[in-house]
Amino acid sequence: MKEKILCHLSKNHPWRDRIHWLEETDSTNTQAKILALAGAPHGTVVIAGHQTVGRGRMGRSFHSPEGMGVYLSLLLRPNCEADRLMHLTCATAVAACDAVEKVTGLRPGIKWTNDLVVGKRKLGGILTELTIVQDQLCVIIGIGINCLQQLGDLNPEIRDFACSLAMATDHPIVREAVSAALIASLYEMDQRLLTDKAEIMATYRRGCITVDQDVRLLRADTVRYGHAEDIDENGALLVRFSDGHTEAVNSGEISVRGMYGYA
Ligand code: BTN
C-alpha cells in the first residue's frame, strides 16, 4: 500500500520520507501523537488500512473498516501561537475537498465545521487535535474518507446518512490515489495557511452548505434554533437566534435542518 501511495505522489515531494503506513492501528491520530512525543518532524503522515478505535469529534467513534476508506493523520509543528490557527480545521476541509475533486472530479460540500458531505450524506470527517510536546505546539490533523463502501457495507447506525466516494461517483476509486492527493493538498495548505487566510476562508464559505440554512445548536443540555448567516474569519458560525441576536458559535453541535440528525 505504501509503495502504491508513493507512486501517486511526486518523486520529490518533501514529505515522501515521512509517511508511516500501518496495516491496522487503534487511531492514526493517537499514533501521530506518539510519533510527536518521540520527536517526529513536521510533515509526518500516518495512514492505516484499518482503525480499531477511529475517533471523531465530540467523543464519537469513526467507523474505519478494513480496506474501505482512507484514514490519515498529519503532524505539524507550526511556528506560531495556537490562536493564529483558529481556521485550521476549515483550511483542512478545503484541502480535503481539493484532493477529492482532483481524484474523482466530485467536489464534496462541507457541513460546518468538519464534515465532508455529498448531498445530505456524510462522506468523511476531520478531527484536529492540538498538544504541547516539550514546550512546542504540535498539531495533529486526522482525516477519514469513506471510499469503497456500498450501502450494505455501512454500519447500520450510519447507513441512512453516510456515503462513500464509490456510492457518490461513477469514477473508479483508488484509495492510494486519494491518500496521495490528500498529502499533496495538505502540503499546499501548510504552505499558505498563515499567508492566505482570507482566500482560504473565502473558499471554505463557498463550499459550506450550512450557511443560509436553519440550524439547531445543541450545547450541553440546551437546544436552540436559529439561522446560519455567515462564517467569520476564524471559522466561527454566525447564527441569528430566534430572539434576533447574532452569535459567533465555536463549539457545540450544529445540525442543519433537513440533514442527518435534524429532520
Ligand atoms: C468526525 O467525523 O467527527 C471526525 C472523523 C475523523 C476521522 C479520522 S480517520 C483518521 C484520524 N484518526 C482518527 O482516529 N480520527 C481521524
Side-chain angles (χ1 to χ4, degrees):
M1 177 87 173
K2 182 172 167 184
E3 289 313 309
K4 283 196 191 159
I5 295 170
L6 291 176
C7 283
H8 288 275
L9 200 61
S10 70
K11 295 259 173 312
N12 52 359
H13 195 281
W15 291 349
R16 227 180 135 79
D17 298 329
R18 299 179 188 184
I19 300 172
H20 297 247
W21 161 255
L22 303 168
E23 197 69 48
E24 177 183 311
T25 191
D26 46 2
S27 152
T28 54
N29 267 32
T30 304
Q31 293 305 314
K33 186 166 180 187
I34 290 170
L35 287 168
L37 289 166
H42 183 91
T44 296
V45 175
V46 183
I47 312 177
H50 172 206
Q51 297 185 118
T52 52
V53 197
R55 296 189 280 112
R57 276 180 73 243
M58 326 240 345
R60 299 210 178 98
S61 61
F62 185 80
H63 294 284
S64 314
E66 189 173 352
M68 290 288 184
V70 165
Y71 318 117
L72 180 151
S73 298
L74 167 68
L75 165 66
L76 296 179
R77 294 178 179 274
N79 226 345
C80 68
E81 299 295 320
D83 60 6
R84 293 190 63 201
L85 299 172
M86 306 279 276
H87 63 308
L88 181 64
T89 299
C90 296
T92 302
V94 169
C97 289
D98 290 346
V100 168
E101 185 176 21
K102 190 158 186 214
V103 176
T104 67
L106 169 86
R107 188 167 186 90
I110 302 164
K111 177 178 169 284
W112 185 86
T113 48
N114 69 320
D115 279 354
L116 305 186
V117 297
V118 178
K120 294 184 173 174
R121 287 174 174 263
K122 175 164 169 167
L123 175 73
I126 295 161
L127 176 66
T128 310
E129 297 180 301
L130 269 61
T131 178
I132 305 285
V133 177
Q134 285 156 4
D135 289 338
Q136 195 194 12
L137 176 65
C138 287
V139 173
I140 292 158
I141 298 170
I143 304 175
I145 299 181
N146 300 329
C147 289
L148 300 179
Q149 291 96 333
Q150 295 299 335
L151 199 60
D153 299 319
L154 294 168
N155 189 299
E157 282 169 34
I158 59 170
R159 194 170 291 159
D160 289 343
F161 46 82
C163 70
S164 69
L165 289 175
M167 287 164 65
T169 163
D170 291 336
H171 204 282
I173 306 302
V174 179
R175 286 180 308 134
E176 293 85 348
V178 177
S179 303
L182 268 178
I183 295 168
S185 198
L186 288 167
Y187 177 79
E188 297 300 325
M189 174 203 81
D190 180 47
Q191 295 296 298
R192 52 196 291 261
L193 188 62
L194 299 178
T195 49
D196 293 356
K197 184 174 170 186
E199 201 184 320
I200 292 168
M201 288 309 300
T203 310
Y204 182 87
R205 268 184 214 102
R206 278 197 300 277
C208 182
I209 55 113
T210 310
V211 174
D212 229 6
Q213 300 292 319
D214 288 337
V215 294
R216 181 178 69 180
L217 173 67
L218 281 179
R219 199 184 267 157
D221 285 341
T222 51
V223 184
R224 294 157 80 201
Y225 294 88
H227 190 78
E229 300 205 305
D230 204 352
I231 292 162
D232 76 10
E233 71 280 6
N234 290 319
L237 189 67
L238 302 177
V239 179
R240 184 167 41 81
F241 287 101
S242 24
D243 64 3
H245 88 283
T246 300
E247 201 175 299
V249 175
N250 279 302
S251 61
E253 171 93 277
I254 280 280
S255 305
V256 178
R257 180 165 219 154
M259 290 198 69
Y260 44 95
Y262 176 19

